[in-house]
mmCIF file of all heavy atoms in Angstrom:
data_model
loop_
_atom_site.group_PDB
_atom_site.id
_atom_site.type_symbol
_atom_site.label_atom_id
_atom_site.label_comp_id
_atom_site.label_asym_id
_atom_site.label_seq_id
_atom_site.Cartn_x
_atom_site.Cartn_y
_atom_site.Cartn_z
ATOM 1 N N SER I 29 -5.760 -0.560 -27.785
ATOM 2 C CA SER I 29 -6.347 0.416 -26.870
ATOM 3 C C SER I 29 -7.429 -0.266 -26.055
ATOM 4 O O SER I 29 -8.002 -1.275 -26.480
ATOM 5 C CB SER I 29 -6.942 1.606 -27.652
ATOM 6 O OG SER I 29 -7.960 1.157 -28.531
ATOM 7 N N LEU I 30 -7.685 0.287 -24.895
ATOM 8 C CA LEU I 30 -8.661 -0.312 -23.994
ATOM 9 C C LEU I 30 -10.038 0.285 -24.238
ATOM 10 O O LEU I 30 -10.201 1.510 -24.249
ATOM 11 C CB LEU I 30 -8.241 -0.084 -22.533
ATOM 12 C CG LEU I 30 -8.974 -0.893 -21.468
ATOM 13 C CD1 LEU I 30 -8.728 -2.380 -21.680
ATOM 14 C CD2 LEU I 30 -8.502 -0.478 -20.078
ATOM 15 N N GLY I 31 -11.015 -0.594 -24.464
ATOM 16 C CA GLY I 31 -12.377 -0.141 -24.689
ATOM 17 C C GLY I 31 -13.254 -0.441 -23.489
ATOM 18 O O GLY I 31 -12.774 -0.757 -22.400
ATOM 19 N N THR I 32 -14.537 -0.359 -23.693
ATOM 20 C CA THR I 32 -15.499 -0.627 -22.635
ATOM 21 C C THR I 32 -15.539 -2.123 -22.328
ATOM 22 O O THR I 32 -15.474 -2.962 -23.234
ATOM 23 C CB THR I 32 -16.902 -0.167 -23.060
ATOM 24 O OG1 THR I 32 -16.845 1.214 -23.394
ATOM 25 C CG2 THR I 32 -17.913 -0.377 -21.945
ATOM 26 N N GLY I 33 -15.644 -2.454 -21.052
ATOM 27 C CA GLY I 33 -15.729 -3.851 -20.666
ATOM 28 C C GLY I 33 -16.918 -4.541 -21.297
ATOM 29 O O GLY I 33 -17.982 -3.930 -21.489
ATOM 30 N N GLU I 34 -16.747 -5.819 -21.620
ATOM 31 C CA GLU I 34 -17.780 -6.576 -22.327
ATOM 32 C C GLU I 34 -18.823 -7.187 -21.389
ATOM 33 O O GLU I 34 -19.753 -7.853 -21.844
ATOM 34 C CB GLU I 34 -17.150 -7.696 -23.152
ATOM 35 C CG GLU I 34 -16.177 -7.227 -24.232
ATOM 36 C CD GLU I 34 -14.752 -7.076 -23.720
ATOM 37 O OE1 GLU I 34 -14.534 -7.285 -22.499
ATOM 38 O OE2 GLU I 34 -13.867 -6.755 -24.531
ATOM 39 N N GLY I 35 -18.667 -6.998 -20.090
ATOM 40 C CA GLY I 35 -19.667 -7.498 -19.149
ATOM 41 C C GLY I 35 -19.301 -8.785 -18.448
ATOM 42 O O GLY I 35 -19.910 -9.159 -17.450
ATOM 43 N N GLN I 36 -18.283 -9.491 -18.961
ATOM 44 C CA GLN I 36 -17.840 -10.714 -18.298
ATOM 45 C C GLN I 36 -16.432 -11.056 -18.738
ATOM 46 O O GLN I 36 -15.927 -10.533 -19.747
ATOM 47 C CB GLN I 36 -18.770 -11.877 -18.602
ATOM 48 C CG GLN I 36 -18.807 -12.306 -20.068
ATOM 49 C CD GLN I 36 -19.654 -13.550 -20.273
ATOM 50 O OE1 GLN I 36 -19.573 -14.524 -19.514
ATOM 51 N NE2 GLN I 36 -20.499 -13.521 -21.305
ATOM 52 N N VAL I 37 -15.792 -11.927 -17.973
ATOM 53 C CA VAL I 37 -14.466 -12.425 -18.334
ATOM 54 C C VAL I 37 -14.372 -13.868 -17.850
ATOM 55 O O VAL I 37 -14.804 -14.203 -16.735
ATOM 56 C CB VAL I 37 -13.343 -11.561 -17.721
ATOM 57 C CG1 VAL I 37 -13.368 -11.591 -16.187
ATOM 58 C CG2 VAL I 37 -11.976 -11.975 -18.242
ATOM 59 N N ASN I 38 -13.863 -14.746 -18.707
ATOM 60 C CA ASN I 38 -13.757 -16.171 -18.398
ATOM 61 C C ASN I 38 -12.298 -16.526 -18.136
ATOM 62 O O ASN I 38 -11.449 -16.374 -19.017
ATOM 63 C CB ASN I 38 -14.308 -16.998 -19.562
ATOM 64 C CG ASN I 38 -15.771 -16.693 -19.829
ATOM 65 O OD1 ASN I 38 -16.553 -16.507 -18.897
ATOM 66 N ND2 ASN I 38 -16.151 -16.635 -21.090
ATOM 67 N N LEU I 39 -12.017 -17.007 -16.925
ATOM 68 C CA LEU I 39 -10.648 -17.234 -16.487
ATOM 69 C C LEU I 39 -10.372 -18.711 -16.233
ATOM 70 O O LEU I 39 -11.237 -19.445 -15.760
ATOM 71 C CB LEU I 39 -10.367 -16.463 -15.189
ATOM 72 C CG LEU I 39 -10.689 -14.967 -15.180
ATOM 73 C CD1 LEU I 39 -10.450 -14.403 -13.781
ATOM 74 C CD2 LEU I 39 -9.849 -14.226 -16.213
ATOM 75 N N VAL I 40 -9.150 -19.130 -16.523
ATOM 76 C CA VAL I 40 -8.616 -20.420 -16.074
ATOM 77 C C VAL I 40 -7.560 -20.084 -15.027
ATOM 78 O O VAL I 40 -6.654 -19.289 -15.290
ATOM 79 C CB VAL I 40 -7.972 -21.215 -17.224
ATOM 80 C CG1 VAL I 40 -7.328 -22.497 -16.686
ATOM 81 C CG2 VAL I 40 -9.014 -21.555 -18.281
ATOM 82 N N ALA I 41 -7.682 -20.671 -13.839
ATOM 83 C CA ALA I 41 -6.796 -20.249 -12.752
ATOM 84 C C ALA I 41 -6.481 -21.394 -11.806
ATOM 85 O O ALA I 41 -7.219 -22.384 -11.711
ATOM 86 C CB ALA I 41 -7.445 -19.106 -11.970
ATOM 87 N N TRP I 42 -5.380 -21.224 -11.112
ATOM 88 C CA TRP I 42 -5.076 -22.100 -9.995
ATOM 89 C C TRP I 42 -6.054 -21.798 -8.869
ATOM 90 O O TRP I 42 -6.467 -20.647 -8.688
ATOM 91 C CB TRP I 42 -3.653 -21.878 -9.493
ATOM 92 C CG TRP I 42 -2.588 -22.218 -10.466
ATOM 93 C CD1 TRP I 42 -1.704 -21.360 -11.055
ATOM 94 C CD2 TRP I 42 -2.257 -23.515 -10.982
ATOM 95 N NE1 TRP I 42 -0.858 -22.034 -11.909
ATOM 96 C CE2 TRP I 42 -1.187 -23.358 -11.876
ATOM 97 C CE3 TRP I 42 -2.786 -24.798 -10.772
ATOM 98 C CZ2 TRP I 42 -0.615 -24.434 -12.559
ATOM 99 C CZ3 TRP I 42 -2.227 -25.869 -11.457
ATOM 100 C CH2 TRP I 42 -1.149 -25.680 -12.333
ATOM 101 N N ALA I 43 -6.419 -22.823 -8.111
ATOM 102 C CA ALA I 43 -7.290 -22.619 -6.961
ATOM 103 C C ALA I 43 -6.645 -21.611 -6.018
ATOM 104 O O ALA I 43 -5.449 -21.661 -5.763
ATOM 105 C CB ALA I 43 -7.517 -23.940 -6.226
ATOM 106 N N GLY I 44 -7.448 -20.674 -5.535
ATOM 107 C CA GLY I 44 -6.939 -19.675 -4.620
ATOM 108 C C GLY I 44 -6.518 -18.379 -5.270
ATOM 109 O O GLY I 44 -6.231 -17.402 -4.584
ATOM 110 N N TYR I 45 -6.487 -18.350 -6.607
ATOM 111 C CA TYR I 45 -6.071 -17.134 -7.301
ATOM 112 C C TYR I 45 -7.248 -16.204 -7.614
ATOM 113 O O TYR I 45 -7.047 -15.006 -7.843
ATOM 114 C CB TYR I 45 -5.362 -17.489 -8.612
ATOM 115 C CG TYR I 45 -3.880 -17.738 -8.477
ATOM 116 C CD1 TYR I 45 -3.277 -17.904 -7.236
ATOM 117 C CD2 TYR I 45 -3.071 -17.816 -9.602
ATOM 118 C CE1 TYR I 45 -1.922 -18.139 -7.123
ATOM 119 C CE2 TYR I 45 -1.702 -18.048 -9.503
ATOM 120 C CZ TYR I 45 -1.134 -18.208 -8.263
ATOM 121 O OH TYR I 45 0.214 -18.432 -8.170
ATOM 122 N N VAL I 46 -8.468 -16.754 -7.641
ATOM 123 C CA VAL I 46 -9.646 -15.952 -8.001
ATOM 124 C C VAL I 46 -10.721 -16.217 -6.948
ATOM 125 O O VAL I 46 -11.621 -17.031 -7.142
ATOM 126 C CB VAL I 46 -10.164 -16.307 -9.412
ATOM 127 C CG1 VAL I 46 -11.290 -15.363 -9.820
ATOM 128 C CG2 VAL I 46 -9.027 -16.226 -10.438
ATOM 129 N N GLU I 47 -10.626 -15.536 -5.816
ATOM 130 C CA GLU I 47 -11.533 -15.780 -4.700
ATOM 131 C C GLU I 47 -12.626 -14.714 -4.624
ATOM 132 O O GLU I 47 -12.345 -13.515 -4.627
ATOM 133 C CB GLU I 47 -10.745 -15.826 -3.394
ATOM 134 C CG GLU I 47 -9.829 -17.029 -3.269
ATOM 135 C CD GLU I 47 -10.594 -18.350 -3.210
ATOM 136 O OE1 GLU I 47 -11.583 -18.440 -2.449
ATOM 137 O OE2 GLU I 47 -10.204 -19.286 -3.939
ATOM 138 N N ASP I 48 -13.885 -15.192 -4.519
ATOM 139 C CA ASP I 48 -15.022 -14.271 -4.500
ATOM 140 C C ASP I 48 -15.808 -14.318 -3.191
ATOM 141 O O ASP I 48 -16.943 -13.840 -3.115
ATOM 142 C CB ASP I 48 -15.962 -14.569 -5.666
ATOM 143 C CG ASP I 48 -16.531 -15.988 -5.606
ATOM 144 O OD1 ASP I 48 -16.255 -16.722 -4.626
ATOM 145 O OD2 ASP I 48 -17.253 -16.360 -6.546
ATOM 146 N N GLY I 49 -15.219 -14.926 -2.157
ATOM 147 C CA GLY I 49 -15.887 -15.003 -0.864
ATOM 148 C C GLY I 49 -16.690 -16.265 -0.668
ATOM 149 O O GLY I 49 -17.179 -16.520 0.437
ATOM 150 N N SER I 50 -16.831 -17.091 -1.708
ATOM 151 C CA SER I 50 -17.641 -18.300 -1.568
ATOM 152 C C SER I 50 -16.929 -19.374 -0.748
ATOM 153 O O SER I 50 -17.573 -20.181 -0.080
ATOM 154 C CB SER I 50 -18.032 -18.852 -2.941
ATOM 155 O OG SER I 50 -16.889 -19.097 -3.738
ATOM 156 N N ASN I 51 -15.592 -19.408 -0.791
ATOM 157 C CA ASN I 51 -14.838 -20.348 0.035
ATOM 158 C C ASN I 51 -14.642 -19.829 1.448
ATOM 159 O O ASN I 51 -14.651 -20.582 2.413
ATOM 160 C CB ASN I 51 -13.475 -20.643 -0.597
ATOM 161 C CG ASN I 51 -13.586 -21.480 -1.853
ATOM 162 O OD1 ASN I 51 -14.429 -22.362 -1.938
ATOM 163 N ND2 ASN I 51 -12.756 -21.193 -2.844
ATOM 164 N N ASP I 52 -14.445 -18.523 1.565
ATOM 165 C CA ASP I 52 -14.268 -17.857 2.846
ATOM 166 C C ASP I 52 -14.781 -16.432 2.678
ATOM 167 O O ASP I 52 -14.245 -15.680 1.862
ATOM 168 C CB ASP I 52 -12.789 -17.856 3.247
ATOM 169 C CG ASP I 52 -12.537 -17.226 4.618
ATOM 170 O OD1 ASP I 52 -13.398 -16.463 5.091
ATOM 171 O OD2 ASP I 52 -11.467 -17.482 5.195
ATOM 172 N N PRO I 53 -15.832 -16.044 3.417
ATOM 173 C CA PRO I 53 -16.415 -14.706 3.259
ATOM 174 C C PRO I 53 -15.408 -13.565 3.439
ATOM 175 O O PRO I 53 -15.604 -12.474 2.906
ATOM 176 C CB PRO I 53 -17.491 -14.656 4.351
ATOM 177 C CG PRO I 53 -17.821 -16.093 4.623
ATOM 178 C CD PRO I 53 -16.541 -16.844 4.433
ATOM 179 N N LYS I 54 -14.324 -13.852 4.155
ATOM 180 C CA LYS I 54 -13.316 -12.812 4.401
ATOM 181 C C LYS I 54 -12.320 -12.699 3.244
ATOM 182 O O LYS I 54 -11.483 -11.797 3.237
ATOM 183 C CB LYS I 54 -12.556 -13.125 5.699
ATOM 184 C CG LYS I 54 -13.431 -13.183 6.941
ATOM 185 C CD LYS I 54 -12.595 -13.610 8.133
ATOM 186 C CE LYS I 54 -13.464 -13.786 9.379
ATOM 187 N NZ LYS I 54 -12.671 -14.318 10.530
ATOM 188 N N VAL I 55 -12.386 -13.644 2.320
ATOM 189 C CA VAL I 55 -11.411 -13.694 1.228
ATOM 190 C C VAL I 55 -12.123 -13.404 -0.092
ATOM 191 O O VAL I 55 -12.760 -14.275 -0.671
ATOM 192 C CB VAL I 55 -10.715 -15.069 1.180
ATOM 193 C CG1 VAL I 55 -9.684 -15.102 0.065
ATOM 194 C CG2 VAL I 55 -10.051 -15.379 2.523
ATOM 195 N N ASP I 56 -12.028 -12.168 -0.553
ATOM 196 C CA ASP I 56 -12.784 -11.764 -1.738
ATOM 197 C C ASP I 56 -12.150 -10.550 -2.399
ATOM 198 O O ASP I 56 -12.253 -9.429 -1.903
ATOM 199 C CB ASP I 56 -14.230 -11.442 -1.334
ATOM 200 C CG ASP I 56 -15.112 -11.085 -2.517
ATOM 201 O OD1 ASP I 56 -14.618 -11.089 -3.664
ATOM 202 O OD2 ASP I 56 -16.304 -10.780 -2.288
ATOM 203 N N TRP I 57 -11.458 -10.788 -3.507
ATOM 204 C CA TRP I 57 -10.957 -9.670 -4.311
ATOM 205 C C TRP I 57 -11.626 -9.650 -5.685
ATOM 206 O O TRP I 57 -11.288 -8.845 -6.526
ATOM 207 C CB TRP I 57 -9.432 -9.724 -4.458
ATOM 208 C CG TRP I 57 -8.879 -11.054 -4.878
ATOM 209 C CD1 TRP I 57 -8.703 -11.523 -6.143
ATOM 210 C CD2 TRP I 57 -8.414 -12.095 -4.015
ATOM 211 N NE1 TRP I 57 -8.176 -12.798 -6.126
ATOM 212 C CE2 TRP I 57 -7.982 -13.176 -4.832
ATOM 213 C CE3 TRP I 57 -8.334 -12.231 -2.619
ATOM 214 C CZ2 TRP I 57 -7.474 -14.355 -4.298
ATOM 215 C CZ3 TRP I 57 -7.826 -13.407 -2.095
ATOM 216 C CH2 TRP I 57 -7.400 -14.454 -2.937
ATOM 217 N N VAL I 58 -12.611 -10.530 -5.866
ATOM 218 C CA VAL I 58 -13.364 -10.570 -7.120
ATOM 219 C C VAL I 58 -14.539 -9.589 -7.098
ATOM 220 O O VAL I 58 -14.757 -8.844 -8.058
ATOM 221 C CB VAL I 58 -13.871 -11.995 -7.408
ATOM 222 C CG1 VAL I 58 -14.866 -11.994 -8.559
ATOM 223 C CG2 VAL I 58 -12.695 -12.906 -7.746
#
């Protein structure tokens, strides 16, 4: 079952899969 979020998540990803706007301000789904 899904509980309350723990406040953070640590990901291993290919470049370009986890964009937070730091590479391009227009590209941010984080």
